Amino acid sequence: MTFRPKFITFDCHGTMIFFDMAGAARAHYADTLSPEKMDKFIADFSAYRLDEVLGAWKPYADVVYNALERTCKRNGVAFDPAVAADIYTRVPTWGPHADVPAGLAKVADKIPLVALTNSMNEQIPHNIEKLGAPIAHVYTAESAGAYKPQMQAFEYMFDMLGCGPEDVLHVSSSFRYDLMTAHDLGIKNKVWVNRGHEPANPYYGYTELKDVSGLAAVVGL
């Protein structure tokens, strides 16, 4: 029998929104780094952003600032706080992956859609309004007091929705930020949107989709 969840919960940046931190870094450092060194710089920047959200909550501007400063130090590049500020201000300007608006529209009027995002309250409305489909609830790391992959972020969402892990289908393009924690919390119904961010990991139990256009079929719509 097809599982029909009470809510479909989503990671936002990276899964629904084209989260172009790589492009932002290239825009600032393309004249400084060779293509090979640029690839390493971008990978380090991604890794440090994850490391920065594992501790106590802090504003996302600090996450970007600290991660970029550490990345520059590791790669022998001069750190400029103005670059970190510029990258942070780009985040709310980014819109959805091309498949997202139509994919969400197939399910939004049947099952409430929820965004659980590592974002700031002031930033995320600008991203959400670009999705082209109604999102019933948006919960941020700022409101939760914790970033994913910390369990507290998911637990805050459950408390706000008045539901449990058994009631949701969680959709993400990331194991490290979302699907590993979802597994540990007992969310049995998961979708991995394979956007090429990370390799497959069948241990965590999910339905794989190439993009959001296939989501309706997962819930029998």
Side-chain angles (χ1 to χ4, degrees):
M1 182 182 298
T2 300
F3 175 65
R4 185 68 64 89
K6 291 182 180 178
F7 302 96
I8 302 178
T9 60
F10 291 85
D11 167 59
C12 189
H13 293 146
T15 302
M16 295 194 291
I17 296 296
F18 179 57
F19 193 58
D20 196 21
M21 283 288 183
R26 291 184 191 280
H28 283 286
Y29 298 104
D31 294 336
T32 304
L33 299 168
S34 68
E36 294 77 14
K37 290 182 178 180
M38 178 64 78
D39 289 344
K40 180 180 182 299
F41 187 95
I42 288 170
D44 289 343
F45 188 28
S46 176
Y48 280 126
R49 291 197 309 275
L50 176 60
D51 190 63
E52 283 289 329
V53 301
L54 297 178
W57 183 86
K58 53 181 172 280
Y60 196 67
D62 294 352
V63 171
V64 174
Y65 183 105
N66 294 346
L68 187 63
E69 184 176 34
R70 296 168 73 187
T71 301
C72 287
K73 179 179 179 181
R74 184 172 181 181
N75 288 271
V77 174
F79 171 67
D80 182 353
V83 173
D86 176 73
I87 291 175
Y88 176 77
T89 61
R90 293 183 185 215
V91 174
T93 71
W94 293 330
H97 291 279
D99 55 278
V100 167
L104 295 181
K106 294 177 182 178
V107 295
D109 62 339
K110 306 291 194 307
I111 302 171
L113 308 183
V114 179
L116 179 62
T117 174
N118 278 1
S119 187
M120 300 290 290
N121 294 339
E122 67 176 7
Q123 281 190 315
I124 195 61
H126 302 284
N127 300 118
I128 294 294
E129 69 184 9
K130 297 178 177 67
L131 293 176
I135 305 299
H137 306 281
V138 179
Y139 302 121
T140 68
E142 181 178 8
S143 294
Y147 289 100
K148 298 177 297 178
Q150 296 184 59
M151 289 183 175
Q152 180 177 328
F154 287 85
E155 290 169 334
Y156 173 81
M157 178 181 71
F158 293 144
D159 288 345
M160 296 300 293
L161 293 174
C163 74
E166 68 279 3
D167 297 317
V168 307
L169 172 70
H170 192 66
V171 182
S172 179
S173 60
S174 175
F175 291 99
R176 299 182 77 181
Y177 277 97
D178 283 82
L179 297 178
M180 293 168 69
T181 304
H183 171 273
D184 292 345
L185 282 170
I187 300 176
K188 297 185 181 301
N189 296 284
K190 299 179 287 295
V191 165
W192 176 46
V193 182
N194 185 357
R195 301 227 184 257
H197 303 153
E198 301 170 18
N201 195 331
Y203 172 81
Y204 291 100
Y206 52 84
T207 298
E208 178 179 347
L209 296 178
K210 63 180 180 63
D211 58 48
V212 174
S213 66
L215 184 59
V218 175
V219 293
L221 295 175

